Amino acid sequence: MAITRRDLLLAGAATAALPVLGSAAGVPIVRAAEAQSASELPWRHGLSLFGDIKYPADFKRFDYVNPDAPKGGVARMISIGTFDNFNIAVAGIKGVIAPAAGLIHETLMTRAQDEVATQYGELAETAQHPGDFSWVIYRLRMEARWHDGKPVTPEDVIFSLETLKKQSPMYGSYYRHVVKAEKVGERDVKFTFDGPGNRELPTIVGELTVLPKHWWEGTDAQGRKRDVGATTLEIPLGSGPYRIKEFVAGRSIKLERVKDHWGANLPSQIGQNNFDELRFEFFRDNIVALEAFKADQADWIAENSAKQWATAYDFPAVTEKRVVKEEFPINDSGRMQAFVVNSRRDQFKDARVRRAFNYAFDFEEMNKQLFFGQYKRINSYFEGTELAATGLPQGEELQILETVKDKVPPEVFTTPYQNPVGGNPEAVRANLREAAKLLKEAGFEVRDHKLVDASGKVLTVEILVQDPSSERIALFYKPSLERIGVNTSVRTVDDAQYQNRLRSFDFDMIIDQWGESLSPGNEQREFWGSQTADVPGARNTIGIKNPAVDALIEKVIFAKDRAGLVAATRALDRVLLWNFYVVPQFTYPFSRYARWDRFSHAEPLPKYGRSGLPTLWWYDAEKAARIGKRS
């Protein structure tokens, strides 16, 4: 999974601002005399968005691993849903991708989990780029190999970029400014960008998942030519520390550790990938999955339900401390989770209608009844980070907002954003009155207890969900919408139908979420940009087409330093909030896991690694003997 980054700075490189003569589409223009050729530039073993790199070129391992971790054992994990595809090139577009598919592939660079945004060489050993960020060259490791023994080549890298951009709207948007990839040496690939100044591009190219060109252009066991634009359950060729051993379509997958993996002794892999086998068992919902976990049919379970976490883990193995409950802090990202209305539909084009839906949501009562008071309301698209807008805009953020003043709601400058607060009858009644007022201003009125527009058409909303936990949330919200006259239904469908409807934007309202890195950049176009609003399968599920949002996204991408990035992101956050594109839900600052106590990890876990499961853990035979054999 790609982790987005900003403010790219090479280790040891000068960070003085480049002279700017003018700009086009927000891109700084650098004097030609300052352009650097590849021969003048040093090769770097790591790239950082924030300047300093923790680990030197000769580092032996990451500090947070145990270099002597034993290899062996089996880790049995739970996945919710199903799968019918191993081809990551069409993930999110066709079929339902198996989560294990990503574990067999590798990227040019890999992220250090104890640094905010630093990457070190994986398939590539080094990289170089000029001070204007107009291109980057990656040099592949001579020893990098596919599982069939063939070397990883520049042709593979070029094929991967072109394929992912062509097949996936997400990658097409993410790598939109990478206009050319070419082989410039025996092991060197040069990526040229469409202009200077985009600091993130050299680094996000390092996140590129590399696919084997020779395999995808070959034929399968039946002699049929493979199609990288189609779903497949043929086990794909990879280069990573694991490969798919066997599977039962839609039900289970087994991965085996590649004992002679080419990269096992890389500093970025020492002490990791310790299990001989990883097993993924698929369940329809968390309730069934928990019962399987209790029966010792799985080793770990991630718990997303506050109610389940508070009430369902009282079985004997927990009391006997054979099962451990643990919460791991989330320090590596923020997020927005929300009810999302489809703004492509006429009934949701008016911001007053969307705002009324927020007034109808009683988060405080939901938190009390469903979540044991464990959650907090989300008030930002970048919740949990310094990037979240607070108070009134000041300083550089205010200056940025002034550039789009005629395109944004006036409240952006005059009123700090705050969600309505419920939780008691008086507050709820006041919120519903405000919702009714907004709907009336938008041209709706109540007739026979139904909300209708000027033509008499009833305002109808179907909340589309795909699992019981989401259904429970939607059903709680439904009566509140009905109280303001909205004809509301909740429909639960299976994974395949849900994904198909999502890709074609065939919904009124869904529950969606967007993870945000500590350094947002090019992915913001995919989330909120006008160019992705009508692209099937794009992450702009809201359907935002807003010139002010587009302009602010460019400010984020082309920020010259960390302070500018924070200011631009806060400005973007504020404008998104005041357009009421979503009804924000709730968040929790920890990942909840229960596990059978057969495993260990080095102490402490890295700050930005969350649980570290399963990569940083190993099978602990002594603990396993103490709690007994698996069922």
Side-chain angles (χ1 to χ4, degrees):
M1 179 178 180
I3 305 225
T4 57
R5 301 157 173 92
R6 272 301 311 159
D7 302 329
L8 176 65
L9 298 171
L10 288 174
T15 60
L18 296 169
V20 176
L21 300 181
S23 65
V27 183
I29 297 175
V30 184
R31 289 187 178 95
E34 295 175 291
Q36 296 167 285
S37 68
S39 62
E40 298 173 325
L41 296 169
W43 289 94
R44 308 290 180 175
H45 72 289
L47 302 179
S48 173
L49 298 179
F50 298 130
D52 293 336
I53 284 182
K54 176 179 179 179
Y55 297 97
D58 61 350
F59 82 104
K60 304 302 181 185
R61 62 175 176 88
F62 291 133
D63 290 346
Y64 49 81
V65 304
N66 173 11
D68 301 315
K71 303 289 186 182
V74 175
R76 304 169 301 166
M77 290 165 287
I78 285 172
S79 289
I80 304 300
T82 185
F83 70 93
D84 62 5
N85 179 32
F86 290 140
N87 180 8
I88 66 169
V90 295
I93 306 302
K94 300 175 182 178
V96 180
I97 191 73
L103 297 176
I104 71 170
H105 297 294
E106 293 176 301
T107 51
L108 293 171
M109 306 195 89
T110 188
R111 183 174 69 100
Q113 297 181 44
D114 57 351
E115 298 178 80
V116 173
T118 304
Q119 297 180 158
Y120 297 90
E122 190 169 49
L123 286 171
E125 62 183 10
T126 52
Q128 62 175 196
H129 71 73
D132 67 353
F133 310 101
S134 59
W135 53 264
V136 65
I137 296 175
Y138 279 94
R139 174 163 291 171
L140 295 174
R141 295 184 187 274
M142 185 178 297
E143 65 271 29
R145 291 289 185 275
W146 299 106
H147 293 155
D148 64 2
K150 294 183 178 180
V152 179
T153 67
E155 287 80 6
D156 293 320
V157 177
I158 296 166
F159 168 80
S160 301
L161 177 72
E162 293 175 349
T163 296
L164 292 173
K165 285 184 68 176
K166 178 181 178 181
Q167 301 296 336
S168 168
M170 180 187 74
Y171 284 111
S173 175
Y174 201 50
Y175 293 123
R176 172 187 172 194
H177 291 283
V178 184
V179 295
K180 184 168 65 172
E182 58 186 324
K183 182 177 179 179
V184 294
E186 182 181 359
R187 292 181 285 123
D188 297 348
V189 184
K190 181 177 182 179
F191 300 87
T192 302
F193 311 137
D194 61 357
N198 191 330
R199 292 170 172 262
E200 188 183 39
L201 283 176
T203 316
I204 68 172
V205 167
E207 299 168 1
L208 180 70
T209 298
V210 180
L211 306 172
K213 179 181 180 182
H214 71 281
W215 189 86
W216 279 107
E217 292 185 345
T219 57
D220 64 16
Q222 287 74 44
R224 295 171 300 196
K225 184 171 175 55
R226 297 186 179 100
D227 181 1
V228 75
T231 62
T232 183
L233 283 175
E234 181 186 8
I235 294 176
L237 180 69
S239 65
Y242 287 95
R243 59 184 161 217
I244 298 174
K245 180 180 181 181
E246 59 186 61
F247 68 94
V248 178
R251 296 179 58 185
S252 65
I253 307 175
K254 291 182 182 179
L255 275 68
E256 62 180 352
R257 184 167 60 85
V258 179
K259 301 293 178 62
D260 60 349
H261 181 235
W262 71 270
N265 294 319
L266 291 179
S268 59
Q269 293 197 21
I270 291 289
Q272 303 178 61
N273 307 307
N274 301 309
F275 296 103
D276 277 349
E277 189 170 280
L278 301 178
R279 298 179 185 172
F280 295 82
E281 297 292 335
F282 289 75
F283 297 88
R284 175 73 177 104
D285 58 58
N286 284 323
I287 305 299
V288 177
L290 178 57
E291 293 306 310
F293 174 77
K294 289 179 180 179
D296 199 7
Q297 299 301 305
D299 295 310
W300 285 294
I301 186 168
E303 185 53 74
N304 297 320
S305 167
K307 178 182 178 181
Q308 291 285 101
W309 191 248
T311 64
Y313 291 81
D314 57 355
F315 51 99
V318 175
T319 305
E320 297 161 2
K321 300 189 183 304
R322 293 187 297 132
V323 166
V324 177
K325 291 175 63 181
E326 188 170 2
E327 295 183 330
F328 300 92
I330 300 173
N331 297 316
D332 62 331
S333 67
R335 78 171 187 171
M336 167 59 79
Q337 177 176 305
F339 290 107
V340 174
V341 295
N342 187 350
S343 66
R344 301 169 189 82
R345 302 202 162 170
D346 290 340
Q347 65 264 42
F348 302 126
K349 292 188 182 299
D350 193 315
R352 291 169 295 189
V353 174
R354 303 193 297 264
R355 187 176 190 181
F357 276 48
N358 198 9
Y359 273 104
F361 180 46
D362 187 358
F363 160 74
E364 287 71 24
E365 187 62 27
M366 177 185 285
N367 194 31
K368 181 167 50 177
Q369 288 192 27
L370 301 186
F371 307 134
F372 293 78
Q374 292 187 30
Y375 290 130
K376 61 171 286 189
R377 186 87 191 266
I378 289 176
N379 287 285
S380 166
Y381 283 76
F382 302 87
E383 185 72 33
T385 74
E386 67 169 332
L387 304 165
T390 58
L392 291 174
Q394 298 179 2
E396 189 172 358
E397 181 191 353
L398 179 59
Q399 294 173 16
I400 291 170
L401 286 168
E402 290 285 353
T403 65
V404 293
K405 188 171 185 177
D406 61 333
K407 300 181 181 69
V408 302
E411 293 89 345
V412 164
F413 297 92
T414 62
T415 311
Y417 178 85
Q418 183 177 0
N419 287 308
V421 178
N424 62 73
E426 294 79 12
V428 170
R429 284 195 294 269
N431 288 340
L432 293 177
R433 283 196 298 269
E434 186 63 28
K437 176 184 174 185
L438 288 165
L439 290 166
K440 185 176 181 179
E441 292 174 359
F444 289 88
E445 62 177 320
V446 177
R447 296 180 193 168
D448 299 324
H449 305 290
K450 296 294 182 182
L451 197 65
V452 299
D453 62 16
S455 68
K457 183 179 179 181
V458 176
L459 180 54
T460 299
V461 173
E462 178 189 81
I463 307 177
L464 183 70
V465 297
Q466 66 180 138
D467 59 71
S469 59
S470 297
E471 181 182 57
R472 189 165 63 117
I473 296 167
L475 288 173
F476 185 94
Y477 187 31
K478 178 177 182 287
S480 298
L481 290 174
E482 290 173 335
R483 287 183 67 180
I484 59 174
V486 179
N487 185 18
T488 308
S489 62
V490 176
R491 184 175 183 187
T492 305
V493 297
D494 61 30
D495 279 357
Q497 185 177 356
Y498 184 84
Q499 292 299 328
N500 286 333
R501 290 188 60 178
L502 200 63
R503 289 174 194 136
S504 59
F505 307 122
D506 180 20
F507 63 87
D508 296 327
M509 179 181 284
I510 58 172
I511 296 172
D512 204 351
Q513 59 180 340
W514 296 266
E516 292 286 3
S517 80
L518 301 179
S519 187
N522 289 268
E523 79 289 345
Q524 300 302 304
R525 293 195 186 104
E526 168 74 9
F527 292 169
W528 334 113
S530 297
Q531 70 269 22
T532 64
D534 296 319
V535 177
R539 289 291 290 116
N540 187 354
T541 50
I542 301 168
I544 299 174
K545 292 182 180 178
N546 185 320
V549 170
D550 292 339
L552 293 174
I553 289 172
E554 297 307 298
K555 295 287 187 183
V556 171
I557 292 171
F558 291 101
K560 298 176 183 177
D561 51 35
R562 179 66 187 176
L565 173 69
V566 172
T569 306
R570 289 176 177 174
L572 173 63
D573 185 33
R574 202 179 299 271
V575 170
L576 289 170
L577 289 167
W578 276 106
N579 275 284
F580 306 104
Y581 291 120
V582 301
V583 178
Q585 290 185 349
F586 40 82
T587 188
Y588 191 67
F590 297 92
S591 296
R592 308 182 190 95
Y593 278 93
R595 68 180 183 274
W596 288 88
D597 193 18
R598 300 184 177 101
F599 310 96
S600 293
H601 62 79
E603 294 284 0
L605 285 169
K607 181 176 182 180
Y608 304 107
R610 301 195 187 187
S611 70
L613 292 168
T615 308
L616 304 181
W617 294 63
W618 63 86
Y619 184 79
D620 190 317
E622 184 177 335
K623 287 184 176 180
R626 180 180 64 81
I627 70 168
K629 293 182 178 180
R630 292 180 167 108
S631 300

